[in-house]
Amino acid sequence: MNRSRLTAPRLQIDLDKVYHNAQVLVSRLNERGISVTGVTKATLGFPEIARAWLRAGVSGLADSRIENIDTLRRANVVATFVLIRSPMLSQVDQVSALADVSLNTELEVIRSLSSAAGKLNRTHGIVLMVELGDLREGIMPELMDKTVAEVLRLPNISLEGIGANLACRSGVSPDAVNMAKLSSLVDSLELTFGIVINTVSGGNSANLDWALSCVNIGRINNLRLGEALLLGCEPLHRKTIEGLHTDAITLIAEVIESKEKPSRPWGEIAQSAFGEVAKNDDTGSRTQSILAIGCQDVDPEGLMAPSGIVILGASSDHLVVDSSNYPSRLSVGDEVSFQLNYSALLRAMTSPYVAKVITC
Ligand SMILES: *Cc1c(COP(=O)(O)O)cnc(C)c1O
């Protein structure tokens, strides 16, 4: 129990563990000819994490929001910066000023990036994203020829690579079939246009199982990793990756009420604040504690409580837990430490109410 009264709630970021996770994955993937782009979006562009990743050997940094890339640049983080969400037309000036490369699927946007980059006398790199079945971003494979032909004509634009993203919208897994499709598409574009495609970015953390076990890596030479680096697990089955820390970042919350209460609510039962109907089983009198953290701070569904604590429910600002089986009785002012999934981490990192503290 910590009684030194640090700010709560807070995310504790163990930079040694953050570094370790990145170093292990970078070396395992480099062995297979794959570079790692570190995806900072779940960290709100946290410079110390970005620097730890760069020390560990990531080949560049990527974010879905240009604001986060701006934050990192302002903190003097030096890297190749990739915007991994298709730029908004309303942001092309910022994108060409702040990102070296962006992932793209719309010619209208690329044309607009071309003139924005021209105004700055810069060359903006483009990775064209191919739709491989997950049905989020991507150009249909049969339309790639036409798109590439247009892109190659644009001034101040260089075609840096071809990429794909799976498992984000529909849960379609990267496998030998869709990855081979990406490779053969790259081969055929090179042949058709007499060009060399330097980067073939196969996907995100969901590609790890495939990348570390497949027989033929094909043309894939880059992955964009966020979740695996931060949380040490792969997102398809949320399995821990061997040798990685799953607690590089933990969330600490403080107890504001702890009382013996009946397990069953009384009165007429309608919906609760977030529309759920409370569970109604009577398990007798329990030790119920409230932590000063809620939906404004974290996704409560994505919290893993320590053994002996069961999360009962959450509203905007209260997390209600059953602490009857916790080894020590929870008292007001005590702190409880949680592990987080990606959704919980994302919300906590972006919540202004959650302090971010580096522990190593
Ligand atoms: C978020 C994102 C990634 C990183 O995904 P993780 O699952 O965190 O590894 C990679 N590519 C794109 C296009 C993304 O949007």
Side-chain angles (χ1 to χ4, degrees), residues 37 39 41-42 62 64 84-85 103 129 136-137 164-165 168 201 203-206 223-230 235 238 342:
T37 300
V39 176
K41 70 183 179 215
S64 45
I84 53 172
R85 186 175 67 183
L103 309 189
M129 297 296 277
R136 203 180 73 176
E137 74 274 40
N165 195 66
C168 270
S201 191
N204 54 51
S205 295
L223 290 180
R224 309 172 304 272
L225 303 182
E227 176 164 0
L229 300 179
L230 293 166
R238 300 250 131 71
Y342 191 74

Side-chain angles (χ1 to χ4, degrees), residues 25-150:
L25 281 178
V26 164
S27 77
R28 280 183 201 164
L29 288 165
N30 282 0
E31 260 170 46
R32 311 212 86 195
I34 296 181
S35 67
V36 174
T37 300
V39 176
T40 50
K41 70 183 179 215
T43 74
L44 201 64
F46 201 78
E48 288 81 357
I49 293 177
R51 285 200 191 93
W53 286 353
L54 288 166
R55 272 190 280 120
V58 301
S59 62
L61 297 172
D63 206 288
S64 45
R65 312 230 173 199
I66 200 66
E67 294 85 347
N68 293 341
I69 292 178
D70 192 23
T71 302
L72 291 168
R73 283 214 190 266
R74 282 172 197 276
N76 297 319
V77 174
V78 180
T80 298
F81 284 100
V82 184
L83 182 70
I84 53 172
R85 186 175 67 183
S86 179
M88 289 186 250
L89 280 176
S90 58
Q91 286 190 329
V92 289
D93 288 327
Q94 279 152 281
V95 172
S96 58
L98 294 168
D100 303 291
V101 176
S102 58
L103 309 189
N104 283 269
T105 60
E106 291 286 354
L107 271 173
E108 190 179 353
V109 174
I110 303 169
R111 280 191 207 105
S112 187
L113 285 167
S114 165
S115 49
K119 277 188 276 174
L120 297 174
N121 226 346
R122 288 174 63 126
T123 300
H124 185 74
I126 297 288
V127 171
L128 286 176
M129 297 296 277
V130 188
E131 176 60 71
L132 291 180
D134 195 52
L135 296 180
R136 203 180 73 176
E137 74 274 40
I139 299 158
M140 292 300 284
E142 57 275 20
L143 297 176
M144 283 299 284
D145 272 5
K146 194 168 154 279
T147 312
V148 168
E150 293 261 359

Side-chain angles (χ1 to χ4, degrees), residues 206-342:
N207 283 61
L208 275 173
D209 266 355
W210 168 81
L212 295 172
S213 68
C214 71
V215 184
N216 184 3
I217 216 87
R219 293 291 309 270
I220 284 76
N221 62 10
N222 173 262
L223 290 180
R224 309 172 304 272
L225 303 182
E227 176 164 0
L229 300 179
L230 293 166
L231 297 175
C233 73
E234 60 78 42
L236 288 178
H237 311 100
R238 300 250 131 71
K239 274 192 322 243
T240 302
I241 300 165
E242 207 195 307
L244 264 58
H245 299 291
T246 56
D247 60 351
I249 306 179
T250 51
L251 180 73
I252 314 291
E254 183 176 329
V255 176
I256 53 170
E257 178 185 304
S258 197
K259 296 185 187 305
E260 296 304 310
K261 291 194 182 184
S263 49
R264 196 172 195 172
W266 61 92
E268 197 186 322
I269 307 287
Q271 288 188 1
S272 65
F274 283 80
E276 309 121 36
V277 176
K279 285 203 200 78
N280 217 356
D281 28 334
D282 190 352
T283 50
S285 176
R286 310 290 297 171
T287 310
Q288 178 187 293
S289 306
I290 300 177
L291 296 153
I293 191 163
C295 301
Q296 296 197 69
D297 313 285
V298 73
D299 175 4
E301 306 263 329
L303 290 178
M304 282 146 277
S307 146
I309 290 188
V310 177
I311 297 172
L312 298 173
S315 53
S316 315
D317 315 288
H318 297 76
L319 185 76
V320 183
V321 302
D322 182 334
S323 58
S324 309
N325 298 327
Y326 197 56
S328 60
R329 199 193 127 69
L330 277 186
S331 311
V332 167
D334 284 347
E335 293 186 337
V336 179
S337 170
F338 296 87
Q339 287 200 64
L340 307 109
N341 75 6
Y342 191 74

